[in-house]
Amino acid sequence: MKKFITLCAALLLTYSNAMAGEKLNLKAITGGLFSADYISGINPLSGGELYARISSDGKQIVQYSFKTGKQVGILFDVSNTMGEKIDAFEGYQLSPDGKRILIQTQTQYIYRRSYKAVFYIYTIASRKLERLSDGGPQQIPIWSPDGRQIAFVRDNNIYLVKLLYDNAESQVTKDGMFNKVINGAPDWVYEEEFGFNKALTFTADGEMICWIRYDESKVKTYALEMFKGLSPARKQYSTYPGEYAYKYPKAGEDNSKPSVWSYDIKSHQIRQLQIPVDADGYIMRIKATDDPKRVIVYTMNRHQDALHLYAVNPRSTVAQLLIKESVPRYVKEEVIEGTIIGKNHILLPSDRDGYMHLYLYNMNGQMLRKIGGGNYDITHIYGMDENSGDVYYQAAALNPHDRQVFVAHRNGKSERLTDREGVNNAIFSTDYQYFINIWSDYNTPYVFTLCNNKGKTLETLVDNRQLRNKLASYDLGKRETFSFTTSEGVKLDGWMVKPVDFDAAKKYPVILYQYSGPGSQQVMNAWNSGSMGGGGSFEHYLAQQGFIVVCVDGRGTGGRGAEFEKCTYLKLGALESRDQVETALYIASQPYIDKSRIGLWGWSFGGFNTLMSISEGRGVFKAGVAVAPPTDWRYYDSIYTERYMRTPKENPDGYGDNPITRAGKMNAALLICHGTADDNVHPQNTFEYAEALVQADKDFRELYYTNRNHGIRGGNTRNHLLRQIANFFIEHLK
């Protein structure tokens, strides 16, 4: 009888294993096996009825109807051109008159947002394809309003191409030089922390070019050592390493000196515009208006608590203050990025009342009305229909982890246009009669639907059914949400992923993942939530190894108003680390958790907060992994750091509390990973922290990735990194 029972059990186990889903593997995750279909390159066309996008094979620019979602034409096809021939392209930019297209090829990325490429001019009617310039790759080409001129940047100087004069090219500026002066494009720190790559514009009549000039000659240089490496191999460094040195202002150090200039295309006269700005202040944007006598220039003081919008005459050079936005602590970068200069109005986001709402001004700077008024943040502005007065936006109105699309009418009434909880985003037609809605939630990959401006779904464009069927064949759990209150009375929200075969009678090890940086959110009901996105694929992989994976957004993160986000001001890491420790204590109190086996990890700010948390003093973490972590804010850039900390001279105590000064209290098994060519969080951070651990007699492991930047990818790199993280936790927590 015993043998029979054993045989039955064996047969049952065999059947169970045969019926079980497939297991995840890191090669599949990092190789894109679970990547969702996503419509890229969508560009609403003038007139409102059509939009264009890049075809799925990347060979065409196709026109579609906003009414039906059906293809109605092909604007560009690499296989059907006259003149020049190309095999592929990465991006495009239609001319304002719709007659020509700039085609982007051979893209070479410089930093996060900047790149140079070989651009071609394509004339739709004749199918003629011709190079924009023969002088070398170009940056940030822009069309004149009439579509007859193109300005671009090359080697830090501005050039002009006139299409009606056989594409005649002329050089506008001549003082640009690497690591000294940049015309028309931001320097490294402006690009990274003010979120843009373009600092030039035509005036509305196309007769002048206006730009911001950045003099970075007095900014100190940081040098990264470069090696031969692999994928790609840099053969020039086969025997001796090389060096990449660039200007990087650290906290409290000299920034570049910005100024604003105009160029009269007919007379060739160059003028400096008289912009009121502090000696150590910032100039972060220049934008055209519909008035050729006006461009809008954004400035900010070094403390970043006062933003000014000036209307400037590019001929007389006189500036007039339109709007001053001043709030306690700091003006968020999203205010700069989100402000919309319309034909007759300016839309400005502001958290002046405690939550991010919108304020509508006329072009003379007079405030007309406020949009949004509840205890929730407006998180994105899509624009304003200036005929009807309707303003379209995204908001976290249902809860901090959800995003819906709304319209606010001129009479003050608002309507919700999306009906599914999760994260909804929108791309509107130019006349605001239609929009493409992109929706997802924790467990559902992106669904693209075509809607009218009442929110009615007209057509489903992409539903990712194949990916959902593929995921169904794997053993994946669901992300479960939860909330708790810390010992300090702070309510925090999170999600967790349990093993598919979770047994409440067992005790499980836990891995906490977090980012924790100012204004960020990881607890978002969206497909890309989690450390690697992709429906939490890495979290599901760890759950299949027997872990419960938890993510909690602590104080300083976004979606919950200004006070919750800005309470970390002048003391980055102090409250954030306490909240991760409190999370560990709460999780440890659950009956199915082994409180002696809790780990924590994060990347970038998340790496910083991992180090702060495992050195907080309460000893709740057995293991931690920090990837590319800042370890002393004196080593990080001026704009980001001073926004939240002011300068080291002004705030010595805030800067003095960091992972390096806490090294003696680090009390967990630790793995630190860093790319040796990280231009963002320099490897200096990990070098200095490692030395502090050595002198504190602390054991740890460190892992460096040759020639990799802050993203630590390329070749097999990302697969290797994730395997090290997983194996480290398996070793120390299981």
Side-chain angles (χ1 to χ4, degrees):
M1 183 68 177
K2 185 175 182 181
K3 288 183 179 179
F4 176 75
I5 293 173
T6 304
L7 178 61
C8 287
L11 289 171
L12 182 62
L13 180 61
T14 301
Y15 176 77
S16 175
N17 287 339
M19 294 297 292
E22 296 182 56
K23 297 294 184 183
L24 294 172
N25 68 80
L26 294 178
K27 278 278 190 182
I29 292 172
T30 58
L33 181 63
F34 304 108
S35 296
D37 288 338
Y38 199 94
I39 303 176
S40 62
I42 295 176
N43 194 335
L45 303 179
S46 59
E49 293 187 2
L50 302 175
Y51 67 92
R53 69 176 179 90
I54 300 174
S55 61
S56 57
D57 63 3
K59 303 290 187 181
Q60 297 177 326
I61 302 172
V62 185
Q63 274 185 315
Y64 291 85
S65 166
F66 261 116
K67 291 182 178 180
T68 66
K70 305 298 183 185
Q71 179 178 327
V72 297
I74 296 174
L75 289 175
F76 175 75
D77 188 330
V78 295
S79 66
N80 187 24
T81 63
M82 303 291 290
E84 296 274 359
K85 299 295 181 183
I86 60 174
D87 296 323
F89 69 102
E90 295 86 50
Y92 70 99
Q93 187 182 154
L94 275 85
S95 63
D97 60 7
K99 295 180 179 180
R100 297 179 177 89
I101 311 174
L102 272 170
I103 303 295
Q104 177 186 327
T105 72
Q106 302 178 47
T107 304
Q108 304 171 53
Y109 280 92
I110 304 170
Y111 301 120
R112 189 190 298 266
R113 296 173 179 86
S114 56
Y115 59 88
K116 54 185 177 180
V118 176
F119 287 89
Y120 291 82
I121 304 169
Y122 179 70
T123 303
I124 296 172
S126 66
R127 294 185 288 110
K128 184 179 181 181
L129 186 69
E130 52 193 329
R131 283 178 178 260
L132 171 61
S133 172
D134 291 321
Q138 308 91 45
Q139 284 182 251
I140 55 172
I142 60 169
W143 290 101
S144 63
D146 62 5
R148 297 177 178 180
Q149 301 176 98
I150 300 169
F152 65 85
V153 172
R154 179 170 55 226
D155 298 330
N156 292 13
N157 281 309
I158 298 170
Y159 292 78
L160 177 66
V161 171
K162 296 181 178 181
L163 276 60
L164 295 184
Y165 292 86
D166 197 27
N167 297 353
E169 180 179 316
S170 59
Q171 186 170 345
V172 175
T173 66
K174 297 182 179 179
D175 59 341
M177 185 179 298
F178 180 68
N179 277 349
K180 289 189 176 180
V181 171
I182 311 173
N183 290 290
D187 64 10
W188 185 94
V189 71
Y190 270 81
E191 173 189 326
E192 176 69 20
E193 306 304 357
F194 286 134
F196 72 122
N197 67 359
K198 188 178 300 182
L200 77 165
T201 186
F202 282 95
T203 53
D205 56 9
E207 294 184 1
M208 304 189 79
I209 301 172
C210 301
W211 71 94
I212 308 174
R213 177 185 186 269
Y214 295 96
D215 181 348
E216 56 178 0
S217 56
K218 293 184 179 179
V219 178
K220 291 185 174 66
T221 301
Y222 188 89
L224 293 162
E225 195 169 17
M226 305 299 295
F227 304 91
K228 172 177 163 286
L230 295 170
S231 297
R234 293 168 172 82
K235 295 181 180 179
Q236 67 270 36
Y237 307 136
S238 293
T239 304
Y240 286 93
E243 179 183 88
Y244 178 76
Y246 67 112
K247 296 303 182 86
Y248 184 105
K250 296 188 181 250
E253 301 288 341
D254 287 338
N255 286 314
S256 60
K257 298 294 184 183
S259 54
V260 183
W261 300 76
S262 68
Y263 171 72
D264 189 314
I265 295 171
K266 290 181 179 178
S267 69
H268 309 296
Q269 183 175 356
I270 292 179
R271 303 174 176 91
Q272 182 175 356
L273 308 188
Q274 304 306 306
I275 310 298
V277 62
D278 296 343
D280 60 353
Y282 299 110
I283 302 178
M284 313 85 61
R285 293 289 193 280
I286 183 166
K287 294 188 177 183
T289 70
D290 272 13
D291 182 351
K293 297 179 181 179
R294 277 186 156 198
V295 293
I296 304 295
V297 175
Y298 299 29
T299 75
M300 187 177 275
N301 60 335
R302 184 145 183 172
H303 281 164
Q304 299 178 62
D305 58 1
L307 166 69
H308 301 84
L309 269 61
Y310 289 97
V312 191
N313 186 314
R315 294 189 187 277
S316 73
T317 76
V318 174
Q320 173 194 0
L321 178 64
L322 294 181
I323 300 170
K324 179 180 180 180
E325 166 70 0
S326 183
V327 296
R329 298 169 179 160
Y330 55 88
V331 175
K332 294 179 62 176
E333 192 272 327
E334 291 87 338
V335 174
I336 301 162
E337 185 175 357
T339 295
I340 292 178
I341 310 298
K343 291 182 179 180
N344 302 304
H345 299 90
I346 297 173
L347 264 175
L348 181 89
S350 171
D351 59 4
R352 64 185 70 165
D353 68 354
Y355 289 88
M356 191 66 79
H357 296 136
L358 307 183
Y359 296 83
L360 181 66
Y361 295 82
N362 64 23
M363 296 304 290
N364 293 320
Q366 178 186 6
M367 197 183 95
L368 304 177
R369 63 184 169 110
K370 176 183 174 183
I371 298 152
N375 293 336
Y376 61 85
D377 287 325
I378 290 177
T379 48
H380 193 84
I381 314 172
Y382 301 116
M384 177 179 177
D385 181 344
E386 300 209 36
N387 293 322
S388 67
D390 291 343
V391 175
Y392 296 88
Y393 60 91
Q394 180 200 65
L398 303 188
N399 61 67
H401 323 296
D402 182 277
R403 299 290 186 270
Q404 302 293 326
V405 178
F406 292 84
V407 58
H409 300 294
R410 183 174 282 155
N411 62 10
K413 181 182 177 183
S414 292
E415 294 180 62
R416 177 177 157 188
L417 301 180
T418 47
D419 59 4
R420 285 188 283 192
E421 292 189 15
V423 170
N424 295 268
N425 207 340
I427 301 171
F428 276 85
S429 61
T430 54
D431 61 1
Y432 296 98
Q433 296 303 300
Y434 304 94
F435 68 96
I436 295 171
N437 187 51
I438 305 106
W439 169 84
S440 72
D441 64 15
Y442 281 129
N443 303 304
T444 313
Y446 305 107
V447 176
F448 285 72
T449 52
L450 186 62
C451 307
N452 64 21
N453 65 357
K454 304 299 182 184
K456 180 182 178 182
T457 299
L458 305 176
E459 190 71 34
T460 297
L461 305 177
V462 169
D463 63 6
N464 272 294
R465 185 183 304 274
Q466 287 184 327
L467 177 57
R468 283 185 281 135
N469 292 338
K470 183 190 297 183
L471 291 166
S473 67
Y474 287 83
D475 272 333
L476 304 180
K478 301 286 187 182
R479 275 185 274 196
E480 304 172 10
T481 59
F482 66 94
S483 300
F484 71 99
T485 301
T486 71
S487 64
E488 298 177 71
V490 181
K491 179 180 176 290
L492 300 179
D493 302 324
W495 51 257
M496 71 170 62
V497 178
K498 296 175 182 175
V500 173
D501 59 353
F502 173 76
D503 182 350
K506 292 183 177 180
K507 296 280 189 179
Y508 289 88
V510 176
I511 298 172
L512 303 187
Y513 166 74
Q514 44 74 51
Y515 178 74
S516 302
S520 67
Q521 281 186 271
Q522 296 298 312
V523 183
M524 283 275 287
N525 189 12
W527 177 248
N528 64 348
S529 294
S531 57
M532 296 295 122
S537 54
F538 188 50
E539 284 72 28
H540 288 300
Y541 172 82
L542 293 172
Q544 289 184 349
Q545 312 311 308
F547 295 101
I548 291 177
V549 184
V550 173
C551 180
V552 167
D553 281 342
R555 283 172 288 183
T557 58
R560 295 179 59 173
E563 184 54 38
F564 187 85
E565 180 174 335
K566 296 182 180 181
C567 67
T568 61
Y569 188 59
L570 300 181
K571 51 189 176 184
L572 285 182
L575 302 181
E576 299 95 320
S577 58
R578 275 169 24 202
D579 285 350
Q580 292 304 312
V581 171
E582 291 281 340
T583 298
L585 292 172
Y586 167 76
I587 293 297
S589 70
Q590 306 307 302
Y592 50 84
I593 299 299
D594 183 345
K595 66 180 181 180
S596 67
R597 294 186 293 160
I598 300 178
L600 175 70
W601 86 281
W603 197 312
S604 194
F605 196 103
F608 159 76
N609 199 42
T610 294
L611 300 179
M612 293 291 281
S613 301
I614 63 177
S615 311
E616 190 257 8
R618 281 183 270 183
V620 297
F621 297 108
K622 187 177 181 183
V625 177
V627 182
T631 61
D632 183 333
W633 290 112
R634 295 175 183 86
Y635 302 149
Y636 200 57
D637 76 60
S638 56
I639 292 176
Y640 180 95
T641 307
E642 293 172 20
R643 182 182 300 152
Y644 311 113
M645 295 283 282
R646 295 204 171 183
T647 66
K649 184 177 180 180
E650 294 172 294
N651 182 23
D653 291 342
Y655 281 85
D657 184 14
N658 60 57
I660 291 176
T661 60
R662 289 188 179 193
K665 295 192 293 183
M666 197 280 289
N667 54 13
L670 175 62
L671 171 65
I672 318 171
C673 309
H674 218 120
T676 64
D678 191 335
D679 63 278
N680 188 340
V681 179
H682 297 147
Q684 172 190 19
N685 286 271
T686 292
F687 295 155
E688 296 289 0
Y689 180 63
E691 172 65 4
L693 291 176
V694 169
Q695 298 309 320
D697 200 27
K698 298 290 184 178
D699 295 327
F700 64 101
R701 294 183 195 171
E702 54 188 338
L703 182 61
Y704 293 98
Y705 287 94
T706 304
N707 293 345
R708 302 305 172 191
N709 63 15
H710 197 55
I712 311 184
R713 59 167 57 89
N716 187 54
T717 304
R718 181 60 68 84
N719 172 61
H720 186 275
L721 171 63
L722 295 189
R723 189 170 71 245
Q724 305 317 302
I725 295 170
N727 287 347
F728 188 79
F729 283 128
I730 290 170
E731 176 185 349
H732 290 282
L733 300 183
K734 293 196 71 178

